[in-house]
Amino acid sequence: MASLDRVKVLVLGDSGVGKSSLVHLLCQNQVLGNPSWTVGCSVDVRVHDYKEGTPEEKTYYIELWDVGGSVGSASSVKSTRTVFYNSVNGIILVHDLTNKKSSQNLYRWSLEVLNRDSMPTGVLVMNGDYDQEKFADNQIPLLVIGTKLDQIHETKRHEVLTRTAFLAEDFNAEEINLDCTNPRYLAAGSSNAVKLSRFFDKIPGFPDRKRLLGGTFKNLHYD
Amino acid sequence: MSFLIDSSIMITSQICFFGFGWLFFMRQLFKDYEVRQYVVQVIFSVTFAFSCTMFELIIFEILGVLNSSSRYFHWKMNLCVILLILVFMIPFYIGYFFVSNIRLLHKQRLPFSCLLWLTFMYFFWKLGDPFPILSPKHGILSIEQLISRVGVIGVTLMALLSGFGAVNCPYTYMSYFLRNVTDTDILALERRLLQTMDMIISKKKRMAMARRTMFQKGEVHNKPSGFWGMIKSVTASAPGSENLTLIQQEVDALEELSRQLFLETVDLYATKERIEYSKTFKGKYFNFLGYFFSIYCVWKIFMATINIVFDRVGKTDPVTRGIEITVNYLGIQFDVKFWSQHISFILVGIIIVTSIRGLLITLTKFFYAISSSKSSNVIVLLLAQIMGMYFVSSVLLIRMSMPLEYRTIITEVLGELQFNFYHRWFDVIFLVSALSSILFLYLAHKQAPEKHVAP
């Protein structure tokens, strides 16, 4: 495979929500047996067929950068994390369906990435209301994934799913709710798999769209 | 009648402390997590409330507030409740939450946590044997037995923390020890980190592509299934999968390297921030304090050594001695009784407040560093246990700082403990902890600059 562009997608979320399990599931199609605490950033690669089935089909490597840590980390950790946020093509926001705080922290996470240029020290003041304009301006495709669906009791499911639907609307993003220990949620042909490939298709559409990202855009062609 | 008034005062103050502990828990400790088990929060706040009440009773003792018999009653009750919590409730809940985290034992949580609790009780009891803590004429389940053991653990903890704190405080405050970090250092390290990530990515791309081609050709997967599959994999292992394991090993090594580089970069950023902070006015003030504290630390180590070597346990407290010195040597005459009460109140008050504040700050830092969403309950309960034991042994040791007439209540309530033993034990552990902290910090300081010299 000669000319494959570089596509970088960040996977963000609080510690313990299941980002590492999710990335492992997306890239290896297997369940992660022994999840352990992510220090720094762990990367994995998913092979994605852009516009599958059409004559314009192209195969891309999508790099999933799983950045560890919490929003309340020390500012030195936040400054170090900023180095991973360069030239990002897409963001997957992961939250734990059983933990409301992790959903609320997603606003802070997304602001941390989107504001990385204006706030180099990474210190953010969160005043409760998120800034809708920031998200309207944003050109980077977002996807919201809720994990640990199996741990939500049947009776509470409706209420939780309504809440997450609002969350996804705020981010102007699609949402997927699943259980990372069960591969059938992302089985080929399921609605989740369709949403996922739609999201991944949005990103490499870049040769067609104009991108207004600050920061460097590394266009590496392996010809 | 007066007993009722006194009790209502005590209960109101206990409720205030409980509320403070509750708020501290919610706002500081658990601000990034969701509280799902309110039991944990209740236990933490109750431990905090009863510990603070003990200190409050000491202050009341010095100031002479409340009726002395009601004070005695509340002391006893307080002590019983605290011991109940520290020895029975918290260890049981720690075992319970610990077992709930393990998936396999989820069904039989209760019997396993009882088992853990019984093991804890056994070791807790055995702890008292090697120490000459108390005379053997007391019964098995008396307050003295329990307090003596709790006291040993608590005093050890206090001495360890004091020793480390005494050494670490000047080390962090003084800018003399700050390594010189420039922006170019940080940029160089970041570049290395990104290069390592790129190498990991290119290797993973090769692996992903190799796996895809293998899958498309319908070759045997990594895990051989069945008897025949195993035979096949032994005799003719596909070259593809061999390559994969080789690359996987390289990737593992690179990932370890990336973690190291990440942690080093965090360290550099932290040092840079400290350098900037030291240039501010506040930083200069702390730097000066650091010199002062280093002298204090050296003096304390010296005094601890003297105490041990000359087998000396101070008989008089600092307040009375200070007053004696001023009266005898400086010739200043003043009302000893009046002043000793007020000065010991202030001194004891300062000791209590700084130790509570210091402990809460240390606990919070510790909690942020090591907790995750799975283990947060267990860790908070452990911290509550440490806090309770720490406060109980503070009461034991604070007896030394008070004049004789105020010591009576502690001696009465706690029974015939060998207080001198605890002070000796504190000195020994303090010395050991301080010296090993010095050694540890020296080694860490030496090692750090060498890491950044390598290209």
Side-chain angles (χ1 to χ4, degrees), chain A residues 1 4 6 14-17 27-28 30 37 39-45 47 49 59 61 63 65 70-72 75-77 79-81 83-84 86 98-101 105 108 148 151 181 218 222, chain B residues 26 30-36 103 190-191 193-194 197-198 200-201 204-209 211-212 221-223 248 255 258-259 261-263 265-267 269-270 273 368-373:
Chain A
M1 284 291 169
L4 285 167
R6 182 171 195 171
D14 280 354
S15 64
V17 296
C27 298
Q28 320 260 0
Q30 276 175 356
W37 211 6
V39 174
C41 171
S42 87
V43 195
D44 216 340
V45 171
V47 183
D49 295 312
T59 312
Y61 288 123
E63 303 161 17
W65 291 57
S70 67
V71 254
S75 55
S76 53
V77 178
S79 313
T80 323
R81 276 208 296 251
V83 84
F84 298 129
N86 289 328
T98 61
N99 185 349
K100 267 191 222 157
K101 276 243 170 91
N105 283 337
R108 295 164 72 185
K148 306 196 190 167
Q151 289 179 22
T181 59
K218 290 198 286 245
Y222 302 100
Chain B
M26 257 190 355
F30 254 50
K31 66 176 180 176
D32 284 333
Y33 301 104
E34 199 173 88
V35 183
R36 249 164 297 157
R103 266 188 181 186
E190 279 182 348
R191 219 180 37 227
L193 178 60
L194 285 177
M197 303 302 294
D198 285 343
I200 297 179
I201 290 175
K204 289 219 164 164
K205 284 181 183 171
R206 279 167 56 190
M207 277 171 56
M209 212 26 124
R211 248 185 270 128
R212 197 178 202 202
H221 228 307
N222 294 357
K223 297 189 184 38
Q248 181 64 44
E255 282 183 337
S258 77
R259 281 191 278 268
L261 288 172
F262 180 81
L263 290 175
T265 319
V266 169
D267 204 31
Y269 268 114
E273 276 168 25
Y368 284 159
I370 65 175
S371 80
S372 71
S373 58

Side-chain angles (χ1 to χ4, degrees), chain B residues 249-312:
Chain B
Q249 283 174 351
E250 291 173 18
V251 164
D252 288 339
L254 281 175
E255 282 183 337
E256 185 59 42
L257 177 65
S258 77
R259 281 191 278 268
Q260 298 260 21
L261 288 172
F262 180 81
L263 290 175
E264 276 180 38
T265 319
V266 169
D267 204 31
L268 282 191
Y269 268 114
T271 318
K272 182 170 157 218
E273 276 168 25
R274 276 181 57 199
I275 293 178
E276 280 172 19
Y277 180 73
S278 75
K279 297 196 181 120
T280 66
F281 188 65
K282 251 181 129 182
K284 292 205 172 88
Y285 166 70
F286 275 110
N287 186 32
F288 170 72
L289 269 191
Y291 283 104
F292 178 71
F293 274 123
S294 55
I295 300 178
Y296 173 71
C297 162
V298 168
W299 182 75
K300 271 200 94 164
I301 294 181
F302 182 65
M303 288 307 290
T305 328
I306 297 260
N307 280 345
I308 297 174
V309 166
F310 290 111
D311 197 21
R312 205 187 72 155

Side-chain angles (χ1 to χ4, degrees), chain B residues 163-436:
Chain B
F164 181 69
V167 173
N168 195 35
C169 173
Y171 182 73
T172 37
Y173 282 178
M174 295 189 346
S175 48
Y176 174 74
F177 294 113
L178 278 183
R179 299 192 303 274
N180 209 1
V181 169
T182 58
D183 279 338
T184 34
D185 291 336
I186 297 185
L187 280 176
L189 213 60
E190 279 182 348
R191 219 180 37 227
R192 271 182 72 192
L193 178 60
L194 285 177
Q195 277 172 354
T196 318
M197 303 302 294
D198 285 343
M199 290 197 317
I200 297 179
I201 290 175
S202 61
K203 290 207 193 312
K204 289 219 164 164
K205 284 181 183 171
R206 279 167 56 190
M207 277 171 56
M209 212 26 124
R211 248 185 270 128
R212 197 178 202 202
T213 34
M214 271 170 53
F215 183 66
Q216 282 172 346
K217 288 187 195 161
E219 275 181 19
V220 172
H221 228 307
N222 294 357
K223 297 189 184 38
S225 52
F227 184 66
W228 189 239
M230 276 201 305
I231 300 280
K232 255 170 86 170
S233 69
V234 165
T235 50
S237 51
S241 59
E242 257 183 21
N243 258 348
L244 276 185
T245 21
L246 219 68
I247 305 183
Q248 181 64 44
Q249 283 174 351
E250 291 173 18
V251 164
D252 288 339
L254 281 175
E255 282 183 337
E256 185 59 42
L257 177 65
S258 77
R259 281 191 278 268
Q260 298 260 21
L261 288 172
F262 180 81
L263 290 175
E264 276 180 38
T265 319
V266 169
D267 204 31
L268 282 191
Y269 268 114
T271 318
K272 182 170 157 218
E273 276 168 25
R274 276 181 57 199
I275 293 178
E276 280 172 19
Y277 180 73
S278 75
K279 297 196 181 120
T280 66
F281 188 65
K282 251 181 129 182
K284 292 205 172 88
Y285 166 70
F286 275 110
N287 186 32
F288 170 72
L289 269 191
Y291 283 104
F292 178 71
F293 274 123
S294 55
I295 300 178
Y296 173 71
C297 162
V298 168
W299 182 75
K300 271 200 94 164
I301 294 181
F302 182 65
M303 288 307 290
T305 328
I306 297 260
N307 280 345
I308 297 174
V309 166
F310 290 111
D311 197 21
R312 205 187 72 155
V313 182
K315 292 291 176 191
T316 53
D317 58 293
V319 178
T320 320
R321 276 246 293 191
I323 293 181
E324 268 175 21
I325 293 176
T326 43
V327 166
N328 291 340
Y329 293 109
L330 300 181
I332 303 176
Q333 299 288 338
F334 55 94
D335 187 359
V336 177
K337 199 160 178 309
F338 174 75
W339 281 107
S340 85
Q341 184 186 27
H342 280 73
I343 295 181
S344 47
F345 163 66
I346 294 176
L347 184 71
V348 168
I350 291 179
I351 294 180
I352 289 176
V353 167
T354 44
S355 68
I356 293 183
R357 182 177 169 276
L359 183 77
L360 286 181
I361 290 178
T362 316
L363 288 187
T364 318
K365 268 198 252 175
F366 201 63
F367 183 72
Y368 284 159
I370 65 175
S371 80
S372 71
S373 58
K374 269 184 89 176
S375 58
S376 53
N377 283 334
V378 172
I379 293 185
V380 159
L381 285 176
L382 275 172
L383 293 182
Q385 174 93 345
I386 291 177
M387 179 173 72
M389 291 191 168
Y390 186 90
F391 285 153
V392 166
S393 34
S394 300
V395 166
L396 282 182
L397 292 180
I398 224 175
R399 188 181 152 276
M400 203 49 146
S401 314
M402 304 196 313
L404 274 171
E405 57 263 33
Y406 307 124
R407 291 186 194 176
T408 47
I409 191 161
I410 300 186
T411 328
E412 253 182 63
V413 167
L414 295 183
E416 291 179 26
L417 291 183
Q418 306 276 47
F419 290 102
N420 292 340
F421 161 75
Y422 287 106
H423 288 283
R424 176 56 34 76
W425 184 245
F426 182 89
D427 283 330
V428 169
I429 300 284
F430 176 81
L431 201 62
V432 167
S433 161
L435 291 178
S436 37

